[in-house]
């Protein structure tokens, strides 16, 4: 039996968090995530099966991982996702099972997700202006709002809204997003654009340092330091005299590589050690050859040694050739 709490990379960072892409497909077309007209998806037979995903995550939990997030693409496009969530939530040592979604299908699945063991969700939403939403995603905002309200009614909590702030696109919507989330008791998190693949590099012209956004908000609201449970890298503030929290995720202006505790597993079984690096390890061939649990534990420990010290988004923005929906959000 592998000793618990032993998944340490070569820079002495403990890996506690795995993000699993269950599909690379998405029903929105955010311009900074997916190339226009793209249809080069993996074939479903190349996706890891639920049995294979469970075997991999069971190995990670034996090695000390306690947080897992299901993502995509859009994870709710994967059939019977609550069944997978129920299997994963039963694994010993897994304390936190969450979901990232665009919420287009959330109204239909919210109750089943809650009952399956998913307690909290992150929803990508860059504006509450329906015209801008259409321009950014090619989708309809009302479906997202319906999904968010259904998730709240089902008991999913906290519900975190992730807004990628882009100069000249939605930066004027920041205050409207604050008011929307404050009204509905959602947590709002701002994210800097990242040059992941050609789509991300195309969005680089829209980059905004989030410290400027925080300074702007501080002129309107009294902001005080805050903390919030979660496995990710957000830094939080709180509007005074409320319970409303705002997070800032700053991979470019203030990178958090020193404390990075996560890896990503793609839908086809590729383990990515860093969002801003091409280091990877292919698990699918080993799984389909029938690798034992003990051997899988050892393989994952060796793979973690490929994790780089930091990304090079600033120094080498052209380094990552894949785009976000291939990697897992």
């Amino acid at each position: 039996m592998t000793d618990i709490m032993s998944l340490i990379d070569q820079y002495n960072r403990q890996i506690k968090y795995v993000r699993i892409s269950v599909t690379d497909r998405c029903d929105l077309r955010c311009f900074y995530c997916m190339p226009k007209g793209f249809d080069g998806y993996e074939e479903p037979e190349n996706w890891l099966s639920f049995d294979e995903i469970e075997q991999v995550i069971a190995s990670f939990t034996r090695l000390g991982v306690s947080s897992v997030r299901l993502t995509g693409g859009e994870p709710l496009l994967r059939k019977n996702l609550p069944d997978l969530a129920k299997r994963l939530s039963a694994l010993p040592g897994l304390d936190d099972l969450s979901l990232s979604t665009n919420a287009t299908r959330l109204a239909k699945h919210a109750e089943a997700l809650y009952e399956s063991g998913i307690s909290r969700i992150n929803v990508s939403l860059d504006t509450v202006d329906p015209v801008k939403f259409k321009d950014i995603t090619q989708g309809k905002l009302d479906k997202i709002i319906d999904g968010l309200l259904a998730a709240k009614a089902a008991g999913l909590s906290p519900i975190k809204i992730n807004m990628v702030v882009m100069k000249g696109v939605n930066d004027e919507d920041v205050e409207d997003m604050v008011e929307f989330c404050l009204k509905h008791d959602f947590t709002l998190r701002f994210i800097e654009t990242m040059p992941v693949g050609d789509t991300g590099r195309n969005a680089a012209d829209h980059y905004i340092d989030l410290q400027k956004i925080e300074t702007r908000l501080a002129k309107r609201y009294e902001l005080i330091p805050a903390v919030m449970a979660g496995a990710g890298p957000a830094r939080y503030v709180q509007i005074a005299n409320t319970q409303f929290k705002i997070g800032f995720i700053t991979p470019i202006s203030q990178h958090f590589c020193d404390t990075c505790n996560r890896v990503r597993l793609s839908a086809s079984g590729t383990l990515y050690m860093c969002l801003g690096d091409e280091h990877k390890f292919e698990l699918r061939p080993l799984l389909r050859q029938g690798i034992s649990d003990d051997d899988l534990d050892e393989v994952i420990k060796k793979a973690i040694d490929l994790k780089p010290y930091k990304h090079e988004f600033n120094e080498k923005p052209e380094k990552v050739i894949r785009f976000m929906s291939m990697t897992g959000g």
Side-chain angles (χ1 to χ4, degrees), residues 17 43 48 61 65 85 91 104 124 128 140 153 165 189 213 216 231 239 251 262 264 280 282 293 319-320:
Y17 180 23
E43 293 299 322
L48 294 188
T61 57
V65 164
L91 290 173
T104 57
S124 300
V128 286
K140 295 182 178 180
V165 184
R189 308 197 308 171
I213 298 298
R216 192 170 106 195
I239 294 181
R262 69 199 65 85
R264 289 170 165 83
K280 61 184 179 181
E282 302 292 349
D293 290 345
K319 186 172 184 178
V320 179

Side-chain angles (χ1 to χ4, degrees), residues 169-209:
V169 177
N170 65 346
D171 52 318
E172 294 182 353
D173 297 18
V174 163
E175 287 82 2
D176 288 343
M177 288 291 288
V178 169
E179 293 298 324
F180 171 78
C181 292
L182 182 58
K183 175 182 176 181
H184 292 288
D185 195 28
F186 302 145
T187 298
L188 177 60
R189 308 197 308 171
F190 298 117
I191 303 175
E192 292 176 342
T193 57
M194 290 176 283
V196 178
D198 289 340
T199 50
R201 284 187 287 275
N202 290 340
D205 290 341
H206 302 295
Y207 169 77
I208 295 178
D209 184 331

Side-chain angles (χ1 to χ4, degrees), residues 186-291:
F186 302 145
T187 298
L188 177 60
R189 308 197 308 171
F190 298 117
I191 303 175
E192 292 176 342
T193 57
M194 290 176 283
V196 178
D198 289 340
T199 50
R201 284 187 287 275
N202 290 340
D205 290 341
H206 302 295
Y207 169 77
I208 295 178
D209 184 331
L210 288 183
Q211 294 175 76
K212 296 180 180 179
I213 298 298
E214 184 174 5
T215 298
R216 192 170 106 195
L217 290 176
K219 294 178 181 178
R220 179 166 176 172
Y221 306 98
E222 182 184 353
L223 304 179
I224 57 178
V227 295
M228 191 166 189
R235 176 182 59 82
Y236 287 95
V237 297
Q238 186 170 324
I239 294 181
N241 303 313
T242 75
Q243 297 301 309
F244 177 64
K245 294 182 177 67
I246 301 171
F248 298 88
I249 300 176
T250 55
I252 306 300
S253 64
Q254 296 173 304
H255 76 74
F256 32 81
C257 301
D258 287 349
T259 57
C260 184
N261 64 348
R262 69 199 65 85
V263 294
R264 289 170 165 83
L265 181 66
S266 78
S268 58
T270 302
L271 191 62
Y272 290 104
M273 313 308 156
C274 173
L275 191 59
D277 195 280
E278 286 295 332
H279 282 99
K280 61 184 179 181
F281 194 95
E282 302 292 349
L283 292 179
R284 186 182 67 198
L286 300 176
L287 294 167
R288 297 195 174 173
Q289 291 165 12
I291 188 171

